[in-house]
Amino acid sequence: LITAQSHRELAQRLAANAEAHAAGRPQDAALVVVSVAPQAYAALATRHGLTVTQTARRVTAALKDLGVELVFDTGFARDLSLLRIAREFVARRTRNAGPLPLLASACPGWVCYAEKTHDYALPYVSTTRSPQQVTGALVKTYLTPRSPSEVYHVCVMPCYDKKLEASREDFRLPGTEVREVDCVIATHELELFLADHGRADLRQAPEVPLDQPLSKLDPELGLARAAGTSSGGYLEYIMAHAARELFHIPLDAAAVERGEGGIQIRTVRNADFREVTLILPDGTVGLRFAAAYGFRNIQTLVRKLKLGRCSYDFVEVMACPSGCINGGGQPKPADMSAGPKAWIEACETSYRSLPIQAPVDNTALLAVAEEWLGNPDVTAPGADRYLATQYHALPKEPTAATVVGW
Ligand code: SF4
C-alpha cells in the first residue's frame, strides 16, 4: 500500500528483525538496505551546518547503529540513467527511434501528470528509468547476496511522489510480485525517524565510511554529483554527449554548466525556464535544449507540444519550482527569517559543493554494467530489463502528485 511507505514502516521492519535475531531465527530477518538521494543529504547538510560527505557518513552511522545493513547513495544509478538517456537521445535524433523533443522522465510528479492529463505527450517521454528505480533493480538483483524477496529496500528521496513511482506495477521484478523499492521515505521523514530514535542532532553524531557499491573496483570513489542542477544534470550530460557524437565537438557536461564551448544559456520568462543552445562553429544552431521546472512552465511546454510548436530537441522537465532540491519532502529551515529563496539557494550550493564525476570516466560503473547487464553499452539488448520502463495513459482525475510550494 502506498500509505504503508513511511518511516514507521522502516522502524517496524527493524524491530521485527531485532525480534527474529533475539529469538535465534536470523533467517527470518530481512536484509535492510537504505539508498539515499544526494538532494536529501544536501538539505540535511545545510540544516546542520555540515558538508554533504560528513552528513552522509553520520546518517550512515546512525542507520547502521539502528539495524540497517547497507547504506548506498543513488549516484551510481543516476550515472547509469544518464548513460542510457544520452544514448536514447542520439538514437532518436539520428535513427528516428522516437519523436523529439525527448522529455526527461526522472520526475514522477511530471510523469504522473502527463499520464493523467496529457497522454499525447507520453511518446515524447524518455523510456529511461529514474535513478531511484535503477537503484531498486541494482540493489535487488546485483548488490546484495540474498534473494530479492529477502531484501527490504528503502529509498530516501526529496519528495513524496517517489512513493507513487516505487509502487508502480512496472517496477516489480520481472515475473514476480517483488518490488524493487519496498518503501520510500522523504528526507523530512528520515529526520523524524532519526529523532524517534534519539539521533536528531547530526552535529553530535559519529561518522563511518560510506558503503560504495563500486568500491571493490575503485576504492577512491566517494560522493559525487553530475554537472548541472540538483535535478540530476540530465540536460548538461545529454548536451555534451550529443555534441561529441553528432558534431564531434569535445564538450563535457561541466563546460555546458558553465556556458562554455559554444553553449548559450538564456533565462526565458522566469528563473525556472532556461534555454541552453549549442552554437556550431559556423554560427548555426546545433542543439536546442530547455529546462522547464514547476507546473506553470510544464503547462506552457505541453501546450506548445500539442500545437506542434515545441522546437526543442530535449527538455529537462521537473515538477517542483527550483527542481528536486525544493521537493515537497525536503526539510524546511528552523529559522524562516531569511526566506525560502535563501534556504533553497543554500541547499543548492551545498549540493554543488560535491565534486563532479562524469559517468563515462567511471570505469567501475562500466565494469558493473558489463557484469550486471552483460554489456557496458547500457542501450544494448538486455539492459532495458532494468534500465527502461513504459508509460500508461490513465483516467483523467486529479493527479496525486504533491508538489509543495511555499
Ligand atoms: Fe520529486 Fe519535485 Fe524532483 Fe519531481 S522535481 S522528482 S516532484 S522533488
Side-chain angles (χ1 to χ4, degrees), residues 107-108 158-159 161-162 318-320 324 327:
C107 170
C159 68
D161 289 4
K162 288 286 181 183
M318 293 286 159
C320 294
C324 290

Side-chain angles (χ1 to χ4, degrees), residues 333-370:
D335 177 5
M336 289 287 282
S337 57
K341 194 160 176 276
W343 167 252
I344 294 165
E345 282 173 5
C347 292
E348 183 80 22
T349 301
S350 176
Y351 174 85
R352 290 187 189 228
S353 69
L354 286 169
I356 292 174
Q357 179 175 274
V360 284
D361 295 337
N362 188 340
T363 51
L365 185 83
L366 299 179
V368 165
E370 178 151 25

